[in-house]
Amino acid sequence: MKKILVPFDFSTLSMSALRFAIELAEAANGEVTALHVVNMTPLYLESLDPNGYPIGSASILSELSREATEHFARVRGELKTRIEPGFRVEQGLLHQIVIKTIHETEADLVVMGTNGSNGITEVMMGSNTEKVVRTAPVPVISIHKGQKISQIRNIVFPTTFDLQQHRFIWQIRALQSFFGAHLHLLYVKTPDTKDTDKTLTGMLGDLAAYYDLSEYSVHVTHASTEEKGVLKFAARMPGSMIAMATHGYTGLTHLMLGSVAENVINHTNEAVWTYKLSEHA
């Protein structure tokens, strides 16, 4: 958490994300960059000129950048923190610009504010946060409200029994160490699961021993879907953080298979940390 990137649109949610990121940077002796993305479409603005002019012109982008920079200077003055966040303005689609900026700044974490999405919007478009979670090469923390890092003392870790996720578990251990949190290994037992609760609990214990985890407890919860099980368990532990892997499905595959992590982000009020698995997870 040395270089933290925060997509920032001056909303209350993005302010919450920025404050959370600054708290992280203060604790980790890191730095924060706020990224403001202008999505300029090839429309025409009404003006005194009857021919109008394209909103994508360099002059309009320059003016919007100047206004955003001035606005952020006022925001920076209100933060009252020893960490002075950087600020940059880019043009394009937010999730694409976030990925580009991660590589350019060598960011190792993204913190985003999100209000989730519901119904047809969730199915057809998803939120910007979903798209970043699905494609980011670094962990993403999704913030739904004014969470503080001091409130996070429990990490809810929904898991399977995969013994080939060493890189992901290393990230989980680092996250737990940073927050000094208790780790709750959670298995969601759906109607398709044949093993007994006792067997599943033993398997979770074996998994924790295999990965040499510490300060943990194991839990089996029953639900019709994995998403509902995670949400039900996390709701009993306010102020916790949910830590999940995502496979980063896109396109038709994503529409067919979806993502439990993205669904949880859309329907929980807790902070959610996600990490995109790769073939070397």
Side-chain angles (χ1 to χ4, degrees):
M1 302 185 190
K2 294 295 185 181
K3 294 185 177 181
I4 306 173
L5 183 66
V6 182
F8 191 81
D9 62 2
F10 298 99
S11 66
T12 300
L13 279 170
S14 65
M15 278 298 302
S16 294
L18 180 62
R19 293 183 186 279
F20 190 89
I22 288 173
E23 281 195 71
L24 292 175
E26 288 177 332
N29 195 28
E31 60 187 60
V32 176
T33 300
L35 171 67
H36 184 69
V37 178
V38 179
N39 181 15
M40 301 200 306
T41 55
L43 301 175
Y44 285 82
L45 293 176
E46 292 181 359
S47 69
L48 295 178
D49 180 353
N51 296 319
Y53 51 94
I55 194 170
S57 67
S59 61
I60 298 301
L61 177 60
S62 177
E63 178 63 16
L64 291 174
S65 298
R66 183 189 64 79
E67 291 178 357
T69 301
E70 290 178 355
H71 191 178
F72 192 78
R74 295 191 292 272
V75 169
R76 188 186 282 128
E78 297 169 358
L79 289 171
K80 298 179 182 178
T81 173
R82 66 179 179 83
I83 297 289
E84 185 172 295
F87 184 67
R88 56 191 290 168
V89 180
E90 301 285 351
Q91 176 188 355
L93 297 177
L94 189 142
H95 68 285
Q96 294 177 353
I97 296 299
V98 168
I99 304 306
K100 170 176 172 286
T101 307
I102 287 172
H103 291 293
E104 290 179 353
T105 63
E106 298 182 335
D108 51 28
L109 176 69
V110 175
V111 178
M112 289 190 73
T114 180
N115 55 7
S117 56
N118 292 285
I120 193 67
T121 301
E122 180 179 344
V123 174
M124 297 303 295
M125 297 176 60
S127 66
N128 280 316
T129 305
E130 276 189 59
K131 294 173 184 176
V132 173
V133 164
R134 203 179 305 150
T135 55
V138 298
V140 178
I141 295 179
S142 305
I143 299 295
H144 297 80
K145 53 186 178 181
Q147 283 113 333
K148 297 182 178 296
I149 66 171
S150 59
Q151 297 172 330
I152 298 173
R153 288 295 173 260
N154 295 283
I155 295 176
V156 177
F157 173 33
T159 186
T160 61
F161 303 112
D162 185 359
L163 300 182
Q164 302 298 322
Q165 50 183 337
H166 297 275
R167 184 178 298 179
F168 175 54
I169 295 295
W170 182 88
Q171 293 276 357
I172 291 288
R173 291 174 62 176
L175 186 73
Q176 179 189 15
S177 176
F178 179 85
F179 284 103
H182 186 83
L183 188 64
H184 297 265
L185 276 73
L186 175 66
Y187 186 87
V188 179
K189 184 176 180 179
T190 62
D192 294 333
T193 307
K194 304 304 181 184
D195 293 309
T196 65
D197 286 16
K198 182 178 180 180
T199 298
L200 293 169
T201 299
M203 293 170 70
L204 284 173
D206 292 343
L207 184 78
Y210 178 80
Y211 286 115
D212 196 26
L213 300 179
S214 60
E215 292 298 318
Y216 70 89
S217 55
V218 299
H219 310 267
V220 175
T221 190
H222 294 232
S224 58
T225 65
E226 293 177 348
E227 172 200 327
K228 290 181 179 178
V230 174
L231 293 170
K232 180 177 71 172
F233 185 87
R236 302 199 302 263
M237 204 172 296
S240 59
M241 173 178 283
I242 304 170
M244 302 187 70
T246 177
H247 288 277
Y249 296 129
T250 59
L252 182 59
T253 302
H254 178 260
L255 288 176
M256 293 176 64
L257 299 178
S259 167
V260 175
E262 292 165 25
N263 291 338
V264 167
I265 290 170
N266 280 334
H267 298 104
T268 187
N269 289 320
E270 307 306 321
V272 183
W273 176 96
T274 50
Y275 179 77
K276 188 178 76 170
L277 295 179
S278 69
E279 64 273 18
H280 306 296

